Amino acid sequence: MTIERVCIVGAGFSGAVIARELAEQGVASLVIDERSHIAGNCHTKRDAETGVMVHKYGPHIFHTANEIVWDYVNRFADMMPFINRVKATVNGQVYSLPINLHTINQFFGKTMSPGEAKDFITQIAKSDIEEPRSFEEQGMKFVGEELYRAFFDGYTRKQWGIDPSLLPASILKRLPLRFNYDDNYFNHPFQGMPKDGYSSLVENILKHDKIEVRLGCPFEELEEGFQHVFYTGPLDRYFKNDIGRLTYRTLDFEEIRADGDFQGVAVMNYPDRDVPFTRISEHKYFAPWELDSFSKTIAFKEFSRECEAGDTPYYPVRRLDDKKLLENYEERARTISDVTFVGRLGTYQYMDMDVTIAAALDVAAEFLTKNR
Ligand code: FAD
Ligand code: UDP
């Protein structure tokens, strides 16, 4: 039997992309979200006082090596050039991130060449760790103890709330290490920022006759039945957390308003353990093409803490000791054939926007193939 209308829970990138792909092949959808806006955690809105486009749930930079995904977002938004050049304040000094030749030379008070720095890091890195199992082991193998303690240990404890020896190595594998002065935070060839913000991008994806969007609508309160549901909410929440809660981190933001400039850069990280926040982002710097038009500025201090019932889940933690619980939920999810679990929360994975979009395109294609 062909399915003609589906329900999609969540109007973030996952939900929007699936809805669009299905709509273009004639399958209608009702996209619901319990929030009052679309775009999920990528939601952006202009601040009334400053005019700055604010990333409401924290800074989002689009970066990818996937040309299909890059072309996809360019269909729905003008992607403006943007390179993230992050700084870090460590022990009273400002350094360049990701760790590069400038960082290494500055940190050790040297003037090493690329080759010398490479040899130096090889000497200080813990090369006896063959297959790093945890974030900590990965860090020690990656840059050695001193750099690890200065840049990664404190930041990670604050960000994730647990000992880095209990976190997967994959979290640190996201970051490059460079032996030149390239301070582009990401390695990807395609990087940018949607000119009118992410909410406008997602709105354009959702703009189709066969897509109905209903906001302020939790799935649990939806009365209508559907032959198929795409669920992008938290995996454990779908099962009413009946065998326990998966661990997520949530964020609190402290707003800073100032005349002119606040910190002179989009993102300043604060890895020191005794500083309670992880980073400060100054949002006008995410839109360099309109930087001159602001006389005031708005920035946010970011505090990470454990996500309790009722908080917004931001980051799935994937604690090594949560593995059994997660496998149990995953196993049950696989047995429900009329619900597809998808996205950052639905699959409980730390997914960037490009990975999210690629996964949503795959999920939609698979559904369409089966549904024909
Ligand atoms: P979400 O955006 O979380 O959308 C899920 C939606 O489902 C939400 O709107 C939620 O309200 C809704 N929902 C959940 N449960 C229910 C329910 N039961 N009923 C109704 N609605 C429900 N990625 C990058 O590529 N670059 C970055 O720089 C970057 N920075 C990030 C910074 C932060 C602070 C965070 C948290 C993430 C960042 N990401 C970044 C990742 C990016 O946010 C995700 O890839 C993307 O949001 C995933 O989209 P999604 O649709 O799967 O999930
Ligand atoms: N990280 C760190 N120090 C930094 C920046 C990052 O220890 O100054 C670690 C931290 O654990 C973080 C991970 O590296 O969660 C990935 O960094 P990224 O900047 O990608 O984090 P995100 O922007 O996703 O929060």
Side-chain angles (χ1 to χ4, degrees):
M1 188 179 46
T2 309
I3 297 175
E4 284 173 1
R5 189 160 176 266
V6 300
C7 176
I8 298 174
V9 182
F13 266 113
S14 299
V17 170
I18 293 170
R20 181 73 187 209
E21 292 298 294
L22 265 50
E24 287 180 357
Q25 299 304 319
V27 181
S29 58
L30 170 67
V31 179
I32 61 166
D33 204 301
E34 64 183 349
R35 294 179 182 176
S36 59
H37 60 75
I38 58 164
N41 277 357
C42 306
H43 176 54
T44 46
K45 194 167 190 267
R46 279 203 191 273
D47 174 61
E49 189 200 354
T50 58
V52 171
M53 186 66 83
V54 168
H55 300 208
K56 287 283 177 185
Y57 299 88
H60 279 73
I61 297 105
F62 202 95
H63 55 96
T64 189
N66 184 331
E67 205 164 348
I68 294 172
V69 169
W70 182 243
D71 289 345
Y72 190 86
V73 291
N74 277 277
R75 248 178 85 195
F76 300 102
D78 287 337
M79 296 300 288
M80 303 297 282
F82 179 79
I83 299 293
N84 202 21
R85 299 191 195 279
V86 178
K87 306 290 174 211
T89 298
V90 173
N91 201 14
Q93 280 215 60
V94 178
Y95 295 94
S96 161
L97 285 182
I99 295 183
N100 62 65
L101 191 49
H102 202 166
T103 328
I104 299 166
N105 273 331
Q106 194 188 351
F107 187 81
F108 292 103
K110 307 247 189 228
T111 56
M112 288 181 276
S113 68
E116 288 166 345
K118 204 169 191 174
D119 291 345
F120 177 73
I121 294 290
T122 306
Q123 275 168 31
I124 62 171
K126 301 263 183 240
S127 52
D128 51 326
I129 303 170
E130 277 183 19
E131 258 315 306
R133 279 161 307 153
S134 67
F135 183 98
E136 185 174 39
E137 287 186 359
Q138 175 67 26
M140 296 288 198
K141 188 181 164 73
F142 191 46
V143 291
E145 180 150 8
E146 259 190 284
L147 286 169
Y148 171 75
R149 297 259 171 252
F151 290 94
F152 299 129
D153 185 70
Y155 189 99
T156 298
R157 284 174 191 275
K158 293 190 288 185
Q159 170 73 5
W160 298 99
I162 50 172
D163 196 291
S165 63
L166 290 172
L167 281 169
S170 57
I171 295 179
L172 190 53
K173 288 186 185 158
R174 292 164 57 88
L175 302 182
L177 165 65
R178 302 210 186 95
F179 296 103
N180 58 27
Y181 289 93
D182 179 1
D183 61 352
N184 183 342
Y185 198 68
F186 304 110
N187 272 336
H188 287 153
F190 308 110
Q191 306 186 24
M193 199 59 86
K195 187 163 179 238
D196 299 316
Y198 290 99
S199 288
S200 159
L201 198 177
V202 173
E203 188 183 351
N204 289 338
I205 298 175
L206 288 167
K207 212 176 278 170
H208 193 287
D209 289 349
K210 288 204 168 288
I211 302 174
E212 180 192 344
V213 178
R214 200 176 295 166
L215 298 176
C217 179
F219 180 51
E220 295 76 6
E221 291 171 20
L222 189 70
E223 284 175 3
E224 202 178 336
F226 285 84
Q227 284 170 287
H228 200 89
V229 172
F230 293 89
Y231 180 86
T232 80
L235 175 64
D236 50 341
R237 173 171 164 185
Y238 181 88
F239 296 102
K240 304 187 172 51
N241 309 100
D242 59 2
I243 51 168
R245 283 185 177 280
L246 291 168
T247 314
Y248 300 87
R249 297 296 283 174
T250 193
L251 299 176
D252 295 319
F253 296 98
E254 192 180 300
E255 189 180 286
I256 302 162
R257 289 181 183 272
D259 287 329
D261 234 342
F262 176 69
Q263 61 180 14
V265 70
V267 182
M268 175 71 77
N269 285 0
Y270 287 86
D272 292 346
R273 270 177 93 164
D274 56 356
V275 174
F277 47 90
T278 51
R279 59 183 176 183
I280 301 182
S281 42
E282 185 170 0
H283 289 216
K284 68 176 181 177
Y285 279 101
F286 291 119
W289 63 92
E290 57 184 26
L291 203 51
D292 290 343
S293 57
F294 306 116
S295 58
K296 293 182 173 185
T297 195
I298 181 163
F300 296 89
K301 272 186 190 167
E302 209 167 303
F303 299 81
S304 173
R305 65 174 168 82
E306 185 158 350
C307 185
E308 313 272 0
D311 289 330
T312 306
Y314 281 76
Y315 294 96
V317 181
R318 287 203 165 238
R319 291 172 66 114
L320 297 175
D321 51 3
D322 261 354
K323 207 162 168 257
K324 277 251 146 30
L325 183 62
L326 174 61
E327 281 170 358
N328 204 320
Y329 278 125
E330 286 174 334
E331 186 55 41
R332 286 163 76 192
R334 270 193 291 275
T335 63
I336 308 174
S337 60
D338 56 354
V339 180
T340 307
F341 293 84
V342 57
R344 189 180 56 96
L345 301 169
T347 63
Y348 193 66
Q349 288 183 72
Y350 188 15
M351 290 157 82
D352 277 330
M353 291 180 279
D354 62 327
V355 178
T356 301
I357 293 171
L361 290 171
D362 285 348
V363 162
E366 199 181 320
F367 175 82
L368 288 166
T369 307
K370 281 193 192 144
N371 194 43
R372 267 183 201 126

